[in-house]
Amino acid sequence: MKNEMSISFSSVSENEAFARVAVASFVTQLDPTMEELTEIKTVVSEAVTNAIIHGYGSEPHHKVYIDCVLYDGEIELTIRDEGQGILNIDEAREPLFTSKPEMERSGMGFTIIENFMDTVEVISAPEKGTSVYMKKQLSKSKTVYN
C-alpha cells in the first residue's frame, strides 16, 4: 500500500513556507533523519520558488501543485506549474544559470535539488509549464506503506 497527498496553492512567495511544512509533515510518518527532512524541505523550497518566480513571473493568480507519494520508505515528489515552461532544460540545470539575473538569483536551484534527491526528472514545454519529478529513498525509514 502507498500513501498519497496532493495540494495546490496560489503562486505567491509567502506560500513557499507552507509548502515546506506541508510536505515535511506528511513525510514525518516515515521517520526520516533530521538531515533528510531538512533536505526535503530545501528541495520543496527550491522547486516551489522556481515555479513562482520563473514559471509564473511572480504573478499571484496562478496555482502551484504538489503531489507526494510514500511507498516502501521512498518519497516520490512532484512539483508542477502551468507557467511559461523552460526552453532549454539542460541549460536551466547548469549550475549558476538563471533566467532572472536582475533579481540576483543564484542559479543553483536544480543543482541543490539534484544533490539532495536520488532521482530528478524535469519535463517542460513552452507555455504549458514545468513538472519536476523527484525520488528519495530514506536511509532508516519505517516501511509503513508497501
Side-chain angles (χ1 to χ4, degrees):
M1 186 178 114
K2 60 185 176 182
N3 193 7
E4 302 178 53
M5 179 271 297
S6 296
I7 57 173
S8 64
F9 47 89
S10 297
S11 56
V12 294
S13 60
E14 292 82 1
N15 284 337
E16 175 267 328
F18 162 74
R20 285 170 57 99
V21 171
V23 172
S25 295
F26 186 68
V27 168
T28 57
Q29 60 194 287
L30 292 182
D31 195 26
T33 65
M34 284 304 295
E35 181 179 355
E36 289 168 332
L37 198 56
T38 298
E39 290 173 354
I40 292 163
K41 288 165 61 176
T42 300
V43 162
V44 170
S45 289
E46 293 295 337
V48 167
T49 298
N50 281 350
I52 292 169
I53 291 175
H54 301 287
Y56 293 129
S58 299
E59 295 176 355
H61 59 280
H62 300 285
K63 295 280 186 203
V64 176
Y65 305 89
I66 298 179
D67 296 306
C68 188
V69 178
L70 307 179
Y71 180 78
D72 198 24
E74 183 174 73
I75 299 158
E76 294 180 12
L77 185 61
T78 303
I79 300 179
R80 177 175 64 84
D81 66 68
E82 297 172 337
Q84 66 183 16
I86 301 171
L87 294 175
N88 185 332
I89 294 171
D90 290 335
E91 181 181 47
R93 291 176 81 158
E94 286 292 318
L96 305 177
F97 175 81
T98 181
S99 64
K100 301 280 186 187
E102 70 281 3
M103 295 181 71
E104 298 181 15
R105 307 302 305 171
S106 71
M108 294 300 289
F110 281 128
T111 302
I112 291 167
I113 291 169
E114 290 168 349
N115 282 328
F116 288 162
M117 300 301 280
D118 297 331
T119 304
V120 178
E121 182 180 358
V122 181
I123 297 174
S124 190
E127 304 308 317
K128 295 195 186 219
T130 301
S131 294
V132 181
Y133 300 98
M134 302 162 275
K135 288 184 181 182
K136 183 175 188 71
Q137 181 70 44
L138 298 182
S139 59
K140 64 171 194 147
S141 70
K142 297 175 188 171
T143 304
V144 179
Y145 304 103
N146 56 22

